[in-house]
Structures are given as C-alpha cells and as structure tokens.
Amino acid sequence: MSKPLVIVESPAKAKTISKFLGDEFVVRASVGHIADLPSKGLSVDVENSFKPNYELTERGATIVRELKAELKNASVLYLATDEDREGEAIAAHLFEYLKPKVETKRMVFHEITKAAIDEAIAHPRNIDMKLVDAAEARRILDRLFGYEVSPILWRKVNRGLSAGRVQSPAIRLVVEREQERMAHVSAAYWDLEAATTTDPKFTATLQSLDGKRIATGKDFDSLGVAKDGIVVINEERANQLTAGLQGKSLDVRSVEEKPYRKSPKAPFMTSTLQQEGGNKLRITASEVMRLAQGLYEAGYITYMRTDAVILGAEALGAVRDEIINTYGDKFLATEPRVYKSKVKNAQEAHEAIRPSLPLRSPESLADELRPNELALYRLIWQRTLASQMSDTNGTTVTVKMGTVSAGTAPADCEFSASGTAISFPGYRQVYQEIADENEDEKEALLPALKVGDSVGIESITANGHNTSPPARYTEPTLVKRLEEEGIGRPSTYASILGTIINRGYVWKKG
DNA sequence: CAGTGAGCGAGCTTCCGCTTGACTT
C-alpha cells in the first residue's frame, strides 16, 4: 500500500510528527544538508556566472539512497524542511537528487502540533526558487571570501589560519574592545556616603555640591576627562567635606514617589538561552547546546536552534492555564504578551525554546533528568512561564536632603537615596533576571520622610574610585553582540567561539 | 669518498550553515 512520504530535517522532529500523522504517513529526516560544495578547491565557477558545484555529501548519499527506497512505495512526496533560507535549499536539493516520479509538494509549519501539521498538509506550496538562490548565493559568497583570503594568511602569517565572513568580524569585535581597553585612561574620583540615624537607617550618596552634580564613573570619557559642568571630587576635597559634615544633620528637601513597573523578557531563543546558561548556570555555549539537544531529542523541549521568540497558539494557551493553576489569576498577564524577535534578518522558522506539551514542571522531572539537564530545563520553564505573567509592580521613593558643610571651603551638600518597595512580584515570582549593570535599583526600604524633616548623620564615609576600561567579552556577551550585529546563525554561535579560539586568534582567560 | 646544501615539485591547510553522533577532556 502506498503512503505519502514526508521529509523533515531532524530525526527527532520526524519521530514527533509521525505520532501526529499516524500510520497513514511515512516520515523521514534529511538530517540537515545533503549536498554541499566539496571542501577541496573553490568549487565555484567564477568565469561562468559563479555557478556552484554542489555534490552530495558522503552522508547525504546514504540518506538519498534510503529515501529513494522509501519513495518507491510513496504516493506523494512532502518536502517539509524548515521554512527558512537553508531549509528551502535542502528541499530543492532533495528534489534534485531524489528525482521523484510522484507528485511533490512543499509543506511548512512553524510549530509542531497536530493542528499546525494538519494545516500544513492541507495547504502545501511550491519550492521558492528565489529563497533557494539566496541560500546558494550565501554559500558561494562564504566560499569565495573564506577560500580566497585564508591562503593569504598561510603565506603571510602561518599555515592553517583562516578568515571568513563570520569569524573575521567576530575577531574584529574582540580586537576593537582590546584597543579600547589599551587606549583607556583611568580617572580617579571620590564620593561620600552618609549613614543616617533614622529607623530603619539608610545610606545616602552625595549628589551635588552647590547645585553642581558630582561625578560618578559614567561621567568620564575613555580619556579620563569628566563631562562639562560636572564636579570631580579628589581625595583632599572628600576629606574636607567629611570633616565639614561632622555633627551636622540633613534637611529633607524633596520626597518623590514614582511607580515602579517591570515587564518580563521574551521566551528563549538560541542566543538568549546561551547567554543565560552562561550567566546563571555558568556553562559554556556549546555545553548549553549539548544539554538542550538531549532535552529536545527526549521530547522535553522544543527545537533549540531558533531565532524566534514566539509561542505557538497551543503552547500559549497551555502556559497561561499553567500560570492560573499554579499562581492564580493575578499573576497572569491580562492580555497574551506577543514578542517579536529583535534579531537582524530573523528567519523565525520555529517557535521559541520552551517546554514541550503537555507541560511538565521541573519538579515532576527531577527523577528523570540529570542535574545539569534539569537545571537548564528549569531555566527554560521559568522563562517561558514568566513571559506570560503580569508585571512586577511597586513604588520607588527618592529622597533628596542636604546641608551646608563647615570648615574649609564650605559648600552646600545634597545627598540622595532611593528605595523600591515591591508591592506585587508578578513574573518575578518565577524568574529573576540578573540585574543589568546600568540599572541600580536598590530594593532598600526608606523610613517615612517628609519635606522639612531633619535626618541625623551617623557617619560619613569617603570612598575613592578609579574608572575602569570597558570589560572584555565573555562567551555570553560575545554571543549577544554577534546576534545583535546579525553575524552567524543559531546553529553556529557556539562553534564560532570554538573556531576563533582554535586558530589562536583569541583565548579564554580566567 | 662521504657528507652537505641547493633546488625542485607535490601535497596540505581554509569558508558557513544544516543536522547528529563519535570522539576526547
């Protein structure tokens, strides 16, 4: 009996889809690309419209042989590779090498659910040759750049070196950062902290002298020069002021209350998962991918090489139900949150990286998963749930208070302190971000104060600082930058790091 | 005569992106 043959890219995906389609369909995988330019020689006919010389890869030839055998019993062929540039090329290459005698259709879907698969089967399209051309042009360009420039490095620098459209800009980023660090001139500045005698006591920071704002680290440029109109306090001045404030108290000049509100981040895609894996679990980008691959193959999570942050309709419903059931209505975002990828030229052939359906909590999987797998799963679970939860709400109170110092060079000293009281945790019940360096929200509580109150000073501390050069890249920050610049793809972020390290262009320290 | 050195020619390295799985560390 002849059945339709469906070909996807990933074997794990083939298994899942096969469950949805049942015995009436045969589902197989191409296991990635089946054809490529041979590694030997340029394999691009530059004289003849840059015609590429694609050949079946060794594994591709085996796959094609097996697929041809399946095709003998097939009633119709569905090419169901990913709907992105490379997926379209794989579909075209399959068509070219399989030479199917049966009717052939291109089917595409962006989430692996029964509804989405049925819909895809019902509405096939044709292979988009423009997209295939784009994929081949990308391949040709990479070959021309890589294979023309690399030999110059062998001759001029060292054998085995390489250059390419992706690795070379990646190195440039690292080099430029290092040059910035070398050119950086450190500046010294001091600040003053006042500890109060209030209950509860708090710490306020000196903010201005005679109405002029005093310098913090951000006020210096890379040559150590402070911005115009900013006062830099040196050690001597800091000591003068400390002495001049002894025995003084501060008058409250303003109390400002502002609502505090923060929304959750989008669900994971490859780059953000690698970043958070690095930040929170302290594992490398390639280790994150290895663990995610295991979780994906065993059916715990969706596909892990994606630049999309979208939850499919079914997943969205399941996630929102889970929030209601576990945390209650109040923790659910009133409207479904819709996220959009900020990646340049995002192709969005898959969903975000999320737990697969039906949802299983990390706790329920504690016995099935190894510790580091479970940790990564928990991260994905938390981020996915948080993405559909309500905002974190609270109030930020900022108090300004001041007095005139005594002694040498008296000046009006204004101090400032702020504290945020969280009234409703919202998504933070589930997922806590690592604080960005540019937001210094302290969750300290201030006593109730009003304008005109007098606040006693328990002690004044002068602290010396030096501005530091921009930090070197880490794996997570470099991946983030690569993604922002549109360099590389989800399937290659981890290996780019490997390439530039193996060539000896960059090295890891610490 | 034995050892040395110059000169020649052939073969090798490399890109990026899509998949696993077979290797080390």
Side-chain angles (χ1 to χ4, degrees):
Chain A
M1 191 184 76
S2 78
K3 301 174 182 177
L5 173 64
V6 178
I7 303 177
V8 296
E9 289 181 39
S10 149
K13 199 192 241 185
K15 225 170 81 187
T16 316
I17 292 172
S18 188
K19 271 188 272 174
F20 290 130
L21 287 175
D23 293 343
E24 300 306 305
F25 288 78
V26 177
V27 187
R28 292 289 180 269
S30 75
V31 199
H33 276 293
I34 55 161
D36 193 13
L37 305 179
S39 68
K40 216 168 142 47
L42 199 58
S43 299
V44 176
D45 191 347
V46 176
E47 304 298 319
N48 182 15
S49 335
F50 298 93
K51 194 178 177 324
N53 171 32
Y54 275 94
E55 286 179 5
L56 280 178
T57 59
E58 204 177 314
R59 196 184 47 191
T62 313
I63 298 279
V64 164
R65 216 175 303 128
E66 291 166 6
L67 290 175
K68 271 186 167 168
E70 293 287 357
L71 209 46
K72 285 211 173 89
N73 313 313
S75 56
V76 50
L77 173 63
Y78 287 99
L79 297 173
T81 49
D82 297 349
E83 188 172 34
D84 55 22
R85 204 186 326 150
E86 300 295 323
E88 207 69 20
I90 294 172
H93 291 151
L94 283 168
F95 186 76
E96 184 183 338
Y97 288 99
L98 289 174
K99 299 186 176 54
K101 298 204 169 58
V102 293
E103 190 188 359
T104 301
K105 302 171 181 182
R106 172 86 168 104
M107 70 175 257
V108 295
F109 44 88
H110 295 251
E111 51 176 300
I112 306 180
T113 57
K114 174 125 183 66
I117 306 290
D118 288 346
E119 173 71 15
I121 293 269
H123 298 102
R125 59 169 174 83
N126 292 319
I127 292 177
D128 179 350
M129 286 315 292
K130 290 213 156 95
L131 205 49
V132 177
D133 287 345
E136 297 199 342
R138 193 279 305 155
R139 183 68 188 91
I140 292 164
L141 184 86
D142 285 338
R143 173 55 64 93
L144 290 177
F145 183 159
Y147 273 39
E148 301 283 2
V149 179
S150 295
I152 297 173
L153 296 175
W154 304 342
R155 288 203 308 273
K156 299 283 183 190
V157 187
N158 228 333
R159 58 173 289 127
L161 294 183
S162 61
R165 172 181 58 86
V166 167
Q167 59 175 291
S168 299
I171 301 157
R172 176 177 170 169
L173 292 174
V174 177
V175 170
E176 284 181 344
R177 177 60 55 87
E178 202 60 25
Q179 287 173 336
E180 284 172 42
R181 289 172 57 83
M182 289 190 285
H184 183 267
V185 179
S186 183
Y189 65 97
W190 285 68
D191 64 20
L192 254 54
E193 282 187 338
T196 66
T197 56
T198 52
D199 182 28
K201 67 178 186 181
F202 62 98
T203 305
T205 313
L206 181 65
Q207 219 177 23
S208 61
L209 269 187
D210 286 334
K212 282 192 173 171
R213 197 158 69 74
I214 69 158
T216 65
K218 289 172 198 156
D219 295 314
F220 295 91
D221 65 17
S222 62
L223 295 175
V225 179
K227 287 179 200 156
D228 280 351
I230 303 279
V231 181
V232 181
I233 298 184
N234 60 19
E235 183 171 9
E236 187 193 355
R237 185 71 177 126
N239 289 333
Q240 269 173 16
L241 293 168
T242 305
L245 287 166
Q246 291 305 321
K248 295 262 176 186
S249 57
L250 300 166
D251 299 324
V252 175
R253 294 174 177 174
S254 71
V255 179
E256 199 184 352
E257 277 193 25
K258 268 198 218 153
Y260 173 88
R261 169 179 285 264
K262 202 134 198 287
S263 303
K265 291 205 168 123
F268 282 127
M269 56 181 164
T270 305
S271 57
T272 48
L273 181 66
Q274 290 178 2
Q275 287 155 35
E276 286 292 271
N279 288 335
K280 288 198 157 154
L281 306 178
R282 301 275 155 205
I283 52 181
T284 62
S286 51
E287 179 68 2
V288 168
M289 295 313 282
R290 210 181 57 76
L291 292 170
Q293 178 84 28
L295 289 170
Y296 166 66
E297 284 175 16
Y300 293 107
I301 61 170
T302 54
Y303 198 57
M304 64 283 155
R305 286 183 281 267
T306 174
D307 55 14
V309 288
I310 298 158
L311 298 181
E314 219 168 293
L316 184 71
V319 165
R320 291 179 66 85
D321 285 347
E322 175 74 23
I323 294 167
I324 294 175
N325 291 336
T326 310
Y327 300 95
D329 289 354
K330 279 185 70 180
F331 283 86
L332 183 70
T334 32
E335 292 296 314
R337 296 184 192 270
V338 180
Y339 297 93
K340 214 173 154 7
S341 179
K342 289 181 201 142
V343 178
K344 274 186 198 169
N345 306 320
Q347 310 214 3
E348 305 189 310
H350 306 90
E351 282 190 74
I353 304 171
R354 59 158 176 85
S356 49
L357 302 174
L359 292 176
R360 281 166 291 179
S361 73
E363 292 68 37
S364 70
L365 298 177
D367 296 335
E368 298 175 37
L369 298 176
R370 278 173 300 196
N372 44 6
E373 284 177 333
L374 185 63
L376 191 67
Y377 182 83
R378 177 173 287 120
L379 202 59
I380 294 168
W381 166 270
Q382 292 172 338
R383 176 93 161 211
T384 306
L385 252 61
S387 76
Q388 288 300 325
M389 290 174 71
S390 44
D391 287 352
T392 295
N393 273 306
T395 310
T396 298
V397 178
T398 303
V399 178
K400 290 191 173 160
M401 48 203 185
T403 191
V404 177
S405 66
T408 319
D412 181 75
C413 301
E414 187 165 277
F415 286 77
S416 161
S418 68
T420 299
I422 300 296
S423 54
F424 182 68
Y427 75 92
R428 283 201 192 158
Q429 190 76 10
V430 179
Y431 192 85
Q432 204 52 259
E433 281 116 11
I434 291 198
D436 291 338
E437 67 247 36
N438 53 0
E439 53 183 328
D440 39 8
E441 36 176 86
K442 290 185 211 125
E443 295 206 1
L445 281 179
L446 299 179
L449 293 167
K450 58 182 190 303
V451 174
D453 282 356
S454 179
V455 172
I457 297 175
E458 187 185 81
S459 63
I460 298 276
T461 317
N463 301 304
H465 307 275
N466 288 300
T467 58
S468 44
R472 291 199 172 98
Y473 286 108
T474 61
E475 275 207 6
T477 57
L478 186 56
V479 166
K480 180 163 192 246
R481 185 72 198 279
L482 289 172
E483 174 220 276
E484 284 167 359
E485 299 291 341
I487 301 171
R489 299 276 308 135
S491 65
T492 61
Y493 293 135
S495 62
I496 294 165
L497 303 171
T499 300
I500 61 178
I501 290 169
N502 288 338
R503 296 278 179 272
Y505 296 148
V506 303
W507 61 93
K508 284 211 240 183
K509 206 174 136 182

